[in-house]
Amino acid sequence: MTEQKELENYLKPEETTRILKNVGVISVTFMVYFTAYCGTTNLQSSIHAEAGLGTASLAALFCGALLSNIFLTSVVMKWLGAKWAICSALTAYLPYIASQLYPTFYTMVPAGFLLGLGAGPLWCSKGTYLSTIAKAHSSLTKIPAETLLLRFFGFFFMIFQMGQIWGNLISSLVISMNNKAAVTSVNKTMIPKLCGANFLPFKDAHEALPTQPPEKIQILTGIFFACVLGAVFIVAVGLDSMKRYDSCRKNAGSSLSGLALLAVTSKNLADRNQVLLIPITIFIGLNQAFFGADFNASFVSCAIGTGSVGYTTMTYGLSLVLGSYITSYVAKLFGRLSQMISAFFIHGGIFIAILLWRPHAEDYYIMIIIAVLWGTCEAIWVVQLNAYYGYLFRGKEEAGFSNLRLWEAVGCIISYVLSSYVRTRYKIYVLLCVLRVVYITSVTIKIKSKKIER
């Protein structure tokens, strides 16, 4: 009752419109930044494959993300607030994009690490902001906070994942200009033997993946640099400060220092909910990194050509968008558990299929079908997982979403470290094993959440 009175003192009924506007602003901001991020990172395993430079920079990125989730997230949010934490974190993406003009281990790896340092505050601020305004909206409209949280995250990821479409469309159009260096350099008769699950990046990249002209990299760098600057401008001008909803953030943990947050993270390992969420979170990191690096290099670039990577990943992004939009509504009809079980079987089927399949240069339509199914499953996992973190860790959102990004980063690091030096088939085996654990934990979490609701 006290919280409701505090809200009514300064939040009018029309405040719900303002809250929805903020959801839209933060969603568009992340879409614009993600356009640059996807367009840049999805090509790393193809255009900087020599000596594993591209995947090494991505591994450094997620090492930085892991550290920032522990030591920087709450400190930056305490100093700057969620709005300006997002702005400052976005600028950390600029050096990595600029490093594409001079790609070496001395430029791209440090720039990737710096990008990762900005990822923790960026994503934790986003999660905390959406969770807080969902609670404020719930206090005004009496709609359950969990329902609003699922809707807000569904809408956010629908808009956000459009960055997959625009970023990959831009990269494909630029790389495919004049139809040069956009096709595979592998002899067609060798594709079934060299590409697919048999692909070993460290050994086969020189033969399978063509280099790109510098002028095309320069064009992409200029476009994506401008996108990040545009994202900073949108959030700086359009997003309201989260201080407006401070009464909805009791004990949110914003005063935690890096060491204190590290202690909370360690303490959370005794929390059964957190332990159960870890396999799913790691799986999402493994899965995203595998699709972005290994699937694109081993199947798309190797068999069809680097110019097709953007189109395939754009299809993946479109299915993510549509999946994020419908998942919250389908959950009303069939429940969360049925969605997650469906994602489990579809994803398992995809992994088994690419393990057995030998791609050919004419199999582009198969790549598209796999990308659609993969993106749909990914949307289910991501939306449901974010909603679970927001629901199960209410009142300590910074710690909860920091853990989400931390364990997701662990999955990405594992995948990128393995990427250049392990044959693709063995990485698929790892994904299948982790997916089996995910199925067990997903069912357990749903049972526990029902008990909490009662």
Side-chain angles (χ1 to χ4, degrees):
M1 292 297 295
T2 303
E3 178 185 304
Q4 179 68 25
K5 289 181 180 179
E6 289 177 1
L7 283 168
E8 289 175 351
N9 285 336
Y10 64 95
L11 298 183
K12 306 300 182 184
E14 57 268 23
E15 183 69 22
T16 56
T17 302
R18 187 168 193 147
I19 290 173
L20 296 178
K21 181 269 295 184
N22 286 323
V23 174
V25 169
I26 202 169
S27 300
V28 171
T29 297
F30 274 68
M31 179 195 71
V32 175
Y33 120 77
F34 203 52
T35 296
Y37 178 84
C38 284
T40 303
T41 58
N42 285 337
L43 291 174
Q44 294 306 305
S45 63
S46 298
I47 64 175
H48 299 311
E50 292 293 328
L53 173 59
T55 52
S57 70
L58 294 175
L61 187 164
F62 285 97
C63 284
L66 192 152
L67 292 175
S68 73
N69 274 289
I70 298 174
F71 296 107
L72 291 181
T73 295
S74 291
V75 173
V76 173
M77 288 189 65
K78 180 181 178 181
W79 288 350
L80 302 178
K83 173 180 177 177
W84 297 110
I86 292 173
C87 280
S88 62
L90 285 171
T91 60
Y93 286 69
L94 296 174
Y96 185 74
I97 295 174
S99 70
Q100 306 299 308
L101 298 175
Y102 189 69
T104 68
F105 279 92
Y106 301 106
T107 56
M108 289 185 62
V109 172
F113 184 77
L114 177 62
L115 191 161
L117 292 180
L122 178 69
W123 284 92
C124 188
S125 297
K126 176 273 300 178
T128 302
Y129 195 101
L130 290 179
S131 297
T132 301
I133 61 177
K135 189 174 181 181
H137 194 291
S138 175
S139 298
L140 293 171
T141 62
K142 308 303 182 185
I143 300 174
E146 183 188 10
T147 300
L148 287 168
L149 192 60
L150 192 61
R151 290 179 186 175
F152 285 0
F153 275 121
F155 178 81
F156 169 83
F157 282 106
M158 179 189 72
I159 302 299
F160 162 71
Q161 294 292 358
M162 287 182 182
Q164 284 269 14
I165 300 173
W166 310 129
N168 291 300
L169 177 61
I170 291 169
S171 65
S172 283
L173 290 174
V174 172
I175 289 178
S176 299
M177 285 190 308
N178 302 322
N179 294 320
K180 295 178 180 179
V183 295
T184 179
S185 60
V186 183
N187 185 294
K188 285 189 176 184
T189 60
M190 289 295 296
I191 288 176
K193 298 180 181 179
L194 185 65
C195 304
N198 290 325
F199 191 73
L200 179 59
F202 185 75
K203 178 183 176 182
D204 302 331
H206 179 72
E207 180 181 355
L209 306 178
T211 57
Q212 299 299 322
E215 58 269 20
K216 293 185 178 182
I217 304 300
Q218 293 168 2
I219 294 172
L220 288 174
T221 299
I223 294 172
F224 295 145
F225 201 89
C227 286
V228 175
L229 292 178
V232 173
F233 177 79
I234 292 170
V235 74
V237 173
L239 191 67
D240 292 324
S241 172
M242 201 169 68
K243 291 181 179 179
R244 186 177 185 86
Y245 310 105
D246 274 347
S247 63
C248 296
R249 298 186 64 245
K250 295 180 180 179
N251 303 318
S254 58
S255 61
L256 293 176
S257 65
L259 291 175
L261 185 57
L262 177 60
V264 169
T265 302
S266 301
K267 185 178 179 180
N268 271 4
L269 293 177
D271 186 323
R272 292 182 180 180
N273 290 325
Q274 181 61 69
V275 173
L276 290 170
L277 287 170
I278 287 174
I280 308 176
T281 313
I282 291 178
F283 171 75
I284 288 178
L286 286 169
N287 183 62
Q288 291 175 342
F290 180 87
F291 184 88
D294 296 292
F295 183 79
N296 282 337
S298 303
F299 291 86
V300 184
S301 288
C302 184
I304 303 176
T306 305
S308 300
V309 169
Y311 294 120
T312 304
T313 315
M314 182 176 67
T315 305
Y316 164 79
L318 180 60
S319 62
L320 269 170
V321 171
L322 298 177
S324 298
Y325 177 74
I326 66 175
T327 185
S328 59
Y329 296 97
V330 173
K332 294 180 183 178
L333 300 176
F334 303 104
R336 291 183 183 179
L337 184 60
S338 61
Q339 282 194 26
M340 299 180 83
I341 291 175
S342 298
F344 165 80
F345 283 108
I346 295 173
H347 240 143
I350 292 172
F351 294 150
I352 294 172
I354 63 176
L355 187 63
L356 302 175
W357 175 43
R358 297 293 178 265
H360 294 77
E362 299 80 17
D363 290 344
Y364 184 64
Y365 70 96
I366 299 179
M367 311 279 188
I368 295 297
I369 293 172
I370 291 173
V372 169
L373 294 174
W374 206 312
T376 302
C377 293
E378 190 77 30
I380 294 173
W381 293 121
V382 170
V383 172
Q384 299 297 339
L385 185 65
N386 274 268
Y388 271 129
Y389 269 94
Y391 177 65
L392 295 175
F393 299 103
R394 285 177 295 182
K396 46 182 180 179
E397 284 86 357
E398 281 97 337
F401 284 105
S402 180
N403 270 279
L404 189 158
R405 299 304 299 175
L406 186 152
W407 293 109
E408 187 176 328
V410 168
C412 289
I413 292 170
I414 293 172
S415 185
Y416 287 129
V417 168
L418 296 176
S419 181
S420 295
Y421 305 99
V422 177
R423 203 172 292 277
T424 300
R425 70 169 58 257
Y426 299 118
K427 288 172 273 191
I428 298 173
Y429 291 146
V430 172
L431 286 168
L432 282 168
C433 291
V434 176
L435 186 61
R436 292 184 65 180
V437 178
V438 166
Y439 175 78
I440 297 171
T441 55
S442 299
V443 174
T444 306
I445 288 171
K446 182 56 183 175
I447 293 172
K448 287 179 66 64
S449 65
K450 283 186 176 181
K451 291 180 179 179
I452 293 173
E453 290 171 3
R454 294 194 191 104

